[in-house]
């Protein structure tokens, strides 16, 4: 069964500090992995996308890493800001030649950045 | 450019009633997806339209759910009759190119459905 597990479930950090969120997946075969940010009351917004051949991808203060051998990914947030408070969701797209593009979502990590 | 919009933002109904959710995708996006997040669980796929055709509806929980996309523009998701376990947030997303690196799914804000 394809699964995506994220840790921690929630995290509180001080403004300006760095943090790292973890994602383990069992999805196989695998097409790509994305990290989404979801603000309260809004839909998820894509931050990064990586294929199995990529090890790292950056988007401003967000850096995602991927180890396809161990099926692990992380999202590192540098110099956190209050606006980073949100849920961060790891999403894996299974590879399918049959035209199916079902995304497999993790439950997300709820990040709270406090002053 | 307008994003994906969903209506209503909230809906509270009683068990046994019918509710219809609407999604307007980004203009020009042929691919439209419905997802659902039940409290405490992860977001789960329901179905995928390509234009007006159902490409994949394997995630639909049962025959009380009916999705349509007449004309390949907006889509509706009807729940009839609603049950308590249908409560959750229903997201719609759209994309230009399905799958792979070219496919970024843009999500709407969701419809929060509460069945009492």
């Amino acid at each position: 069964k394809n699964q995506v597990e994220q840790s921690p479930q929630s995290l509180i950090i001080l403004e300006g500090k760095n943090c790292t969120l973890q994602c383990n997946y069992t999805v196989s075969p695998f097409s790509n992995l994305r990290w989404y940010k979801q603000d309260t009351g809004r839909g998820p917004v894509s931050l990064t996308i990586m294929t199995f051949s990529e090890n790292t991808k950056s988007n401003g203060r967000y850096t995602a890493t991927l180890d396809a051998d161990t099926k692990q990914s992380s999202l590192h947030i540098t110099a956190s800001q209050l606006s980073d408070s949100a849920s961060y969701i790891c999403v894996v797209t299974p590879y399918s030649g049959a035209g199916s593009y079902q995304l497999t979502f993790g439950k997300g990590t709820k990040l709270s950045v406090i002053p | 450019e307008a994003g994906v919009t969903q209506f209503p933002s909230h809906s509270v109904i009683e068990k046994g009633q019918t509710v219809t959710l609407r999604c307007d995708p980004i203009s020009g996006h042929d691919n439209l997806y419905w997802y659902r997040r039940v409290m405490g669980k992860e977001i789960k796929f329901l179905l995928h339209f390509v234009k007006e055709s159902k490409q994949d509806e394997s995630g639909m929980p049962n025959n009380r759910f009916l999705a349509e996309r007449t004309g390949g523009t907006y889509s509706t998701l009807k729940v009839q009759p609603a049950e308590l376990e249908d409560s959750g947030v229903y997201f719609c997303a759209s994309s230009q190119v399905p799958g792979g690196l070219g496919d970024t799914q843009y999500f709407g804000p969701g419809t929060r459905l509460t069945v009492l």
Side-chain angles (χ1 to χ4, degrees):
Chain A
K1 179 181 177 182
N2 290 336
Q3 286 188 308
V4 177
E5 301 288 341
Q6 292 188 244
S7 62
Q9 187 174 7
S10 62
L11 182 63
I12 301 174
I13 62 173
L14 292 175
E15 184 180 11
K17 296 297 185 182
N18 303 335
C19 67
T20 300
L21 315 179
Q22 301 290 343
C23 172
N24 296 332
Y25 62 92
T26 60
V27 178
S28 182
F30 155 82
S31 176
N32 57 69
L33 184 147
R34 306 162 191 266
W35 282 91
Y36 277 85
K37 178 186 179 186
Q38 185 177 13
D39 292 308
T40 301
R42 294 182 175 272
V45 175
S46 180
L47 292 175
T48 62
I49 176 172
M50 291 180 290
T51 66
F52 64 89
S53 62
E54 295 180 286
N55 299 121
T56 185
K57 183 70 69 76
S58 291
N59 178 2
R61 295 180 296 102
Y62 300 103
T63 299
T65 65
L66 174 64
D67 185 334
D69 291 331
T70 62
K71 294 185 170 57
Q72 295 180 326
S73 176
S74 66
L75 180 69
H76 186 75
I77 304 175
T78 304
S80 61
Q81 300 176 357
L82 298 179
S83 59
D84 291 334
S85 296
S87 287
Y88 292 83
I89 306 173
C90 178
V91 184
V92 180
T93 304
Y95 175 80
S96 170
S100 174
Y101 300 100
Q102 295 191 23
L103 302 183
T104 302
F105 292 76
K107 289 186 178 181
T109 292
K110 184 174 175 60
L111 175 65
S112 299
V113 181
I114 60 176
Chain B
E1 178 183 285
V4 177
T5 59
Q6 293 186 244
F7 182 83
S9 57
H10 294 83
S11 181
V12 181
I13 62 173
E14 293 188 350
K15 175 182 173 180
Q17 290 186 321
T18 297
V19 63
T20 299
L21 314 181
R22 172 171 171 145
C23 168
D24 286 77
I26 293 173
S27 178
H29 282 191
D30 288 340
N31 296 278
L32 187 150
Y33 309 81
W34 282 99
Y35 296 91
R36 177 173 73 171
R37 183 169 196 165
V38 174
M39 186 180 295
K41 300 285 188 178
E42 66 275 18
I43 297 173
K44 287 193 174 180
F45 168 87
L46 295 178
L47 87 160
H48 169 204
F49 281 102
V50 177
K51 297 185 179 179
E52 66 275 10
S53 299
K54 292 176 184 175
Q55 176 75 17
D56 181 355
E57 55 182 328
S58 61
M60 295 288 265
N62 51 61
N63 59 10
R64 294 185 294 103
F65 289 75
L66 175 64
E68 295 181 322
R69 192 183 182 195
T70 306
T73 54
Y74 71 92
S75 174
T76 58
L77 179 64
K78 180 189 290 187
V79 184
Q80 179 182 29
E83 298 289 343
L84 299 179
E85 63 264 26
D86 300 333
S87 296
V89 182
Y90 290 77
F91 292 102
C92 175
S94 71
S95 71
Q96 284 185 310
V97 179
L101 288 179
D103 174 34
T104 292
Q105 293 188 22
Y106 296 88
F107 283 78
T111 293
R112 181 173 294 277
L113 174 64
T114 302
V115 182
L116 303 176

